[in-house]
């Protein structure tokens, strides 16, 4: 297999792993509660990343410890808040709809990069791409408002806010160009676990774990080990192999995979509104990405 084909295969694998997180959350969160689920998935992810670090013979810790206060802020913005918002929203929303709404992230990145990255200014064509993509999101909001009498609006806003948190954290990470991604992932997951598990004991009932179903436990283990832990390592590996620009194409795949995984694994319906919104979102991303590369 050629280098190009390997990179494409890894990109598809990464997109599948990340997309599966929405179905796993939907399966587990009803039984665990959002705070408990976030705490458990980051705890498992922490040990997965720690395992990967053990295979890095030349990995050094001390030079990066001075960044711990900054990483704590990143943990709140980039993981604690979005993980909680998405988990809480999926108490109501389908996993496929959540995955579609997450595609707002790349569109918001284009806007945010204009203000924080001198080499990524917004152009007329980029604005057109963003507007096309956001029109798909408007369709999702409008259809949900008609069918559910507005009950889905707040959860959808929560997911969009989560994407904004991810964008903010990615922009914050630009200030740490020399810090290894594995170190960032390990520290952030550790901080999130410390933040979330005490809150879970206050507001939820994590000690009721014996009553959780086998499906919930399987979803928790999958969510922690793969979309939370392994995905960070795979993303880091793919960026080193193929570059950040190539890896950014995952933004096209996650909405597609999340829709079909939701239907396949959870029996969620694939309404016309989702397909229309998906087409508009992907078209908007394509227009903006093509412009960014020319």
């Amino acid at each position: 297999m050629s280098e190009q084909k390997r990179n494409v295969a890894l990109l598809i694998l990464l997109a599948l792993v990340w997309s599966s997180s929405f179905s796993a959350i939907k399966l587990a969160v009803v039984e665990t509660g959002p705070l408990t689920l976030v705490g458990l998935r980051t705890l498992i992810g922490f040990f997965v990343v720690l395992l990967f670090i053990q295979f890095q013979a030349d990995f050094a810790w001390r030079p990066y410890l001075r960044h711990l206060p900054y990483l704590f802020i990143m943990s709140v913005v980039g993981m604690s808040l979005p993980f909680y918002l998405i988990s809480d929203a999926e108490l109501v929303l389908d996993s496929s709809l959540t995955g579609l709404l997450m595609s707002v992230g790349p569109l918001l990145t284009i806007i945010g990069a204009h203000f924080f990255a001198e080499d990524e200014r917004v152009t007329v064509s980029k604005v057109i791409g963003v507007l096309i993509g956001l029109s798909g999101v408007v369709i999702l909001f409008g259809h949900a408002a008609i069918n559910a009498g507005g009950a889905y609006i707040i959860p959808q806003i929560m997911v969009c806010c989560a994407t904004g948190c991810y964008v903010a954290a990615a922009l914050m990470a630009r200030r740490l160009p020399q810090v290894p991604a594995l170190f960032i992932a390990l520290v952030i997951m550790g901080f999130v676990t410390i933040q979330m598990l005490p809150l879970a004991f206050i507001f939820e009932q994590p000690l009721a774990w014996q009553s959780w179903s086998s499906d919930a436990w399987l979803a928790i283990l999958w969510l922690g080990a793969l979309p939370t832990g392994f995905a960070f390592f795979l993303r880091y590996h793919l960026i080193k192999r193929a570059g950040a620009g190539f890896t950014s194409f995952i933004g096209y795949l996650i909405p597609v995979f999340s829709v079909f995984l939701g239907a396949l694994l959870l029996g969620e319906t694939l309404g016309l509104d989702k397909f229309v919104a998906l087409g508009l979102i992907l078209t908007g991303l394509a227009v903006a990405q093509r412009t960014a590369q020319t």
Side-chain angles (χ1 to χ4, degrees):
M1 184 183 291
S2 67
E3 186 76 8
Q4 175 90 19
K5 289 181 179 178
R6 280 197 199 94
N7 291 340
V8 171
L10 287 175
L11 184 70
I12 292 173
L13 175 61
L14 180 59
L16 276 171
V17 169
W18 269 352
S19 300
S20 70
S21 65
F22 303 112
S23 297
I25 290 170
K26 188 67 178 179
L27 278 172
V29 71
V30 176
E31 298 186 43
T32 65
L35 292 170
T36 302
L37 181 59
V38 174
L40 288 176
R41 70 179 287 192
T42 53
L43 178 63
I44 296 170
F46 174 87
F47 284 110
V48 170
V49 175
L50 186 62
L51 180 63
F52 282 121
I53 288 177
Q54 298 309 307
F55 292 100
Q56 306 285 323
D58 57 345
F59 194 88
W61 298 78
R62 292 184 180 275
Y64 311 113
L65 294 179
R66 59 190 176 89
H67 297 294
L68 289 180
Y70 190 76
L71 288 172
F72 180 83
I73 298 173
M74 281 186 63
S75 74
V76 175
V77 175
M79 193 169 283
S80 291
L81 280 175
F83 275 18
Y84 172 77
L85 289 171
I86 291 169
S87 298
D88 194 55
E90 284 206 50
L91 289 169
V92 176
L93 301 181
D94 288 347
S95 67
S96 56
L97 176 57
T98 305
L100 276 173
L101 290 170
M102 289 299 296
S103 60
V104 173
L107 301 174
L108 294 179
T109 300
I110 295 170
I111 299 172
H114 173 77
F115 298 99
F116 296 97
E118 295 182 0
D119 57 341
E120 297 186 39
R121 296 300 184 187
V122 168
T123 63
V124 173
S125 297
K126 284 185 180 181
V127 171
I128 292 173
V130 169
L131 291 176
I132 292 172
L134 291 180
S135 67
V137 177
V138 171
I139 288 175
L140 294 176
F141 270 78
H143 187 267
I146 293 171
N147 285 354
Y152 285 6
I153 297 299
I154 297 301
Q156 286 184 108
I157 292 174
M158 291 168 65
V159 175
C160 291
C161 288
T163 66
C165 290
Y166 284 136
V167 171
L171 295 172
M172 291 175 68
R174 289 175 179 266
R175 296 178 176 270
L176 303 172
Q178 306 302 322
V179 182
L182 284 176
F183 178 81
I184 294 174
L186 182 74
V187 172
I188 286 179
M189 287 181 195
F191 278 144
V192 175
T193 303
I194 293 171
Q195 294 160 20
M196 286 297 174
L197 286 183
L199 290 175
F201 277 96
I202 295 173
F203 296 105
E204 296 174 356
Q205 296 179 325
L207 293 179
W209 57 270
Q210 292 179 328
S211 65
W212 299 343
S213 67
S214 57
D215 286 345
W217 273 113
L218 183 61
I220 293 167
L221 294 174
W222 175 274
L223 190 60
L226 290 168
T228 308
F230 174 69
F232 272 91
F233 169 78
L234 185 56
R235 176 177 179 271
Y236 174 64
H237 178 69
L238 188 59
I239 288 174
K240 289 184 66 176
R241 283 176 59 99
F246 175 83
T247 307
S248 70
F249 278 95
I250 196 171
Y252 296 85
L253 299 176
I254 288 178
V256 178
F257 289 161
S258 64
V259 167
F260 288 103
L261 284 175
L264 179 65
L265 300 176
L266 304 177
E268 296 176 353
T269 57
L270 299 177
L272 180 61
D273 62 312
K274 290 181 180 178
F275 282 108
V276 173
L278 179 61
L280 288 170
I281 290 168
L282 294 181
T283 299
L285 286 172
V287 170
Q289 182 72 29
R290 183 179 60 188
T291 305
Q293 293 179 333
T294 57

